[in-house]
């Protein structure tokens, strides 16, 4: 059984317990002796029309009626297979991003496979930020809160090199797997709690600041306010008042490196606080723009 955002999901059929534990470790809960009322269940079954070894996913309601079915091609995608966002009673919005929290601050790093998203995330972890989700920003469409969704991080390139240098990926264990894709090359999938501190799956955090990662030819990183349209599922969620008002920035990065510098910029900007009742800048005498003739000042 899995718990997502306070809801219980039963998983049955052709799925290995070790796979569920690897992909959804913190969300995995023990089977309960008493029946779970109104629980949605997910059934993995063989699918003859998908060729040898093909599988399909069936979503069933509490009374066993099929709500939806589709061919299974993997955990990922928008929306992901687990939980079945499309048939859940409570409305959620999903954005592909690495999400971290520190104090009252929450940041969602938006960037593709080739972006330094995970490198910046790990650098933020070294500065006291907790991982909320390594792959998806999940927003409660009613309250606007950010919800933890703890999937493995897929590390490659500089992020993988940094994790290996810190000894975080090479130790034996069931929380790391080597993956080789013909499109993206070798990578290592690692449970987030092996890398940095993580948020509890039952936490409800404040709205996230969306930060688009952009590679440029600049020598230094730069963080600036910048409004952009995030790719969100379902598309109509982008018009939700809570989501539309989300602060947005872009983080301009050199072509390589600078994850530490970028993390310093984000940490300083998103965790800066001003004591209550004080002005953001101390009062200073105005600077003279004109001087009297013959002044020695």
């Amino acid at each position: 059984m899995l718990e997502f955002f306070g809801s219980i999901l039963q998983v049955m059929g052709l799925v290995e317990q070790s796979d569920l534990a690897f992909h959804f470790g913190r969300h995995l809960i023990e089977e309960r002796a008493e029946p779970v009322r109104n629980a949605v269940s997910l059934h993995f079954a063989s699918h003859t029309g998908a060729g040898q070894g093909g599988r399909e996913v069936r979503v069933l309601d509490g009374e066993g009626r099929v709500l939806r079915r589709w061919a299974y091609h993997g955990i990922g995608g928008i929306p992901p297979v687990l939980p079945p966002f499309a048939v859940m009673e409570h409305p959620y919005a999903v954005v592909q991003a690495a999400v971290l929290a520190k104090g009252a601050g929450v940041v969602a790093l938006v960037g593709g496979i080739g972006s330094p998203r995970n490198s910046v995330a790990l650098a933020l972890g070294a500065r006291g930020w907790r991982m909320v989700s390594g792959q998806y920003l999940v927003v409660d469409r009613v309250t606007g809160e950010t919800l933890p969704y703890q999937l493995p991080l897929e590390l490659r390139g500089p992020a993988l090199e940094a994790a290996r240098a810190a000894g975080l990926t090479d130790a034996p264990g069931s929380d790391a797997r080597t993956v080789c894709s013909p499109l993206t090359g070798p990578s290592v999938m690692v449970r987030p709690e092996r890398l940095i501190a993580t948020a509890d799956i039952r936490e409800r955090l404040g709205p996230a600041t969306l930060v688009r990662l952009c590679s440029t030819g600049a020598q230094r990183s730069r963080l600036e306010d910048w409004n952009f349209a995030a790719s969100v599922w379902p598309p109509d969620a982008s018009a939700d008042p809570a989501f539309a008002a989300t602060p947005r920035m872009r983080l301009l990065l050199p072509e390589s490196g600078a994850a530490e510098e970028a993390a310093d910029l984000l940490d300083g900007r998103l965790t800066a606080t001003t004591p209550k009742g004080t002005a953001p800048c101390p009062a200073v005498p105005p600077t003279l723009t004109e001087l009297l003739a013959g002044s020695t000042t």
Side-chain angles (χ1 to χ4, degrees):
M1 300 179 72
L2 298 168
E3 180 179 349
F4 296 104
F5 328 128
S7 298
I8 304 299
L9 175 69
Q10 294 176 305
V11 182
M12 304 175 292
L14 303 175
V15 60
E16 294 290 338
Q17 186 77 5
S18 60
D19 288 340
L20 290 179
F22 176 71
H23 287 287
F24 304 104
R26 292 289 179 88
H27 298 277
L28 194 66
I29 60 176
E30 295 181 359
E31 297 288 342
R32 300 185 179 182
E34 69 278 7
V36 180
R37 303 178 63 182
N38 300 322
V40 174
S41 61
L42 207 69
H43 187 233
F44 289 84
S46 59
H47 181 41
T48 56
Q52 185 177 7
R55 285 187 291 173
E56 72 172 10
V57 181
R58 302 168 188 166
V59 183
L60 313 176
D61 66 10
E63 298 181 1
R65 293 173 296 195
V66 177
L67 301 176
R68 189 171 180 178
R69 61 195 300 172
W70 64 88
Y72 175 70
H73 300 292
I75 294 294
I78 287 286
V81 173
L82 284 164
F85 287 97
V87 296
M88 295 180 77
E89 292 183 356
H90 196 81
Y92 301 101
V94 183
V95 177
Q96 283 192 312
V99 187
L100 299 100
K102 182 179 181 182
V106 181
V107 63
L109 305 175
V110 181
I113 291 178
S115 74
R117 185 177 74 185
N118 287 336
S119 295
V120 176
L122 294 179
L124 284 172
R127 287 157 177 77
W129 288 73
R130 297 177 299 143
M131 182 65 71
V132 178
S133 177
Q135 298 187 36
Y136 298 97
L137 166 66
V138 179
V139 178
D140 186 319
R141 294 184 65 180
V142 175
T143 65
E145 294 171 313
T146 301
L147 306 176
Y149 183 39
Q150 300 287 5
L151 296 180
L153 279 79
E154 189 168 357
L155 304 180
R156 58 169 53 83
L160 179 55
E161 294 173 6
R164 279 178 171 163
L168 297 174
T169 61
D170 297 329
S174 60
D175 50 1
R177 293 182 177 180
T178 301
V179 180
C180 190
S181 168
L183 297 177
T184 59
S187 62
V188 175
M189 297 186 69
V190 188
R191 289 290 314 159
E193 55 268 21
R194 182 169 182 166
L195 300 170
I196 62 176
T198 59
D200 187 270
I201 64 166
R202 295 180 179 86
E203 285 189 66
R204 302 185 74 88
L205 306 163
T209 296
L210 297 179
V211 178
R212 168 78 72 181
L213 304 186
C214 304
S215 295
T216 68
Q219 297 297 316
R220 301 294 300 272
S221 298
R222 187 169 79 252
L223 180 65
E224 59 189 23
D225 295 327
W226 187 60
N227 192 25
F228 65 93
S231 179
V232 58
W233 179 92
D236 65 303
S238 60
D240 291 351
F243 194 83
T246 302
R248 305 184 189 210
M249 305 177 185
R250 69 174 174 181
L251 181 58
L252 302 172
L253 296 155
E255 292 296 334
S256 61
E260 297 293 329
E261 181 185 35
D264 283 338
L265 290 174
L266 288 167
D267 188 51
R269 176 74 179 270
L270 299 180
T271 61
T273 58
T274 301
K276 189 174 181 180
T278 62
C281 296
V284 296
T287 302
L288 295 176
T289 56
E290 295 183 357
L291 298 177
L292 298 175
S295 173
T296 59
T297 304

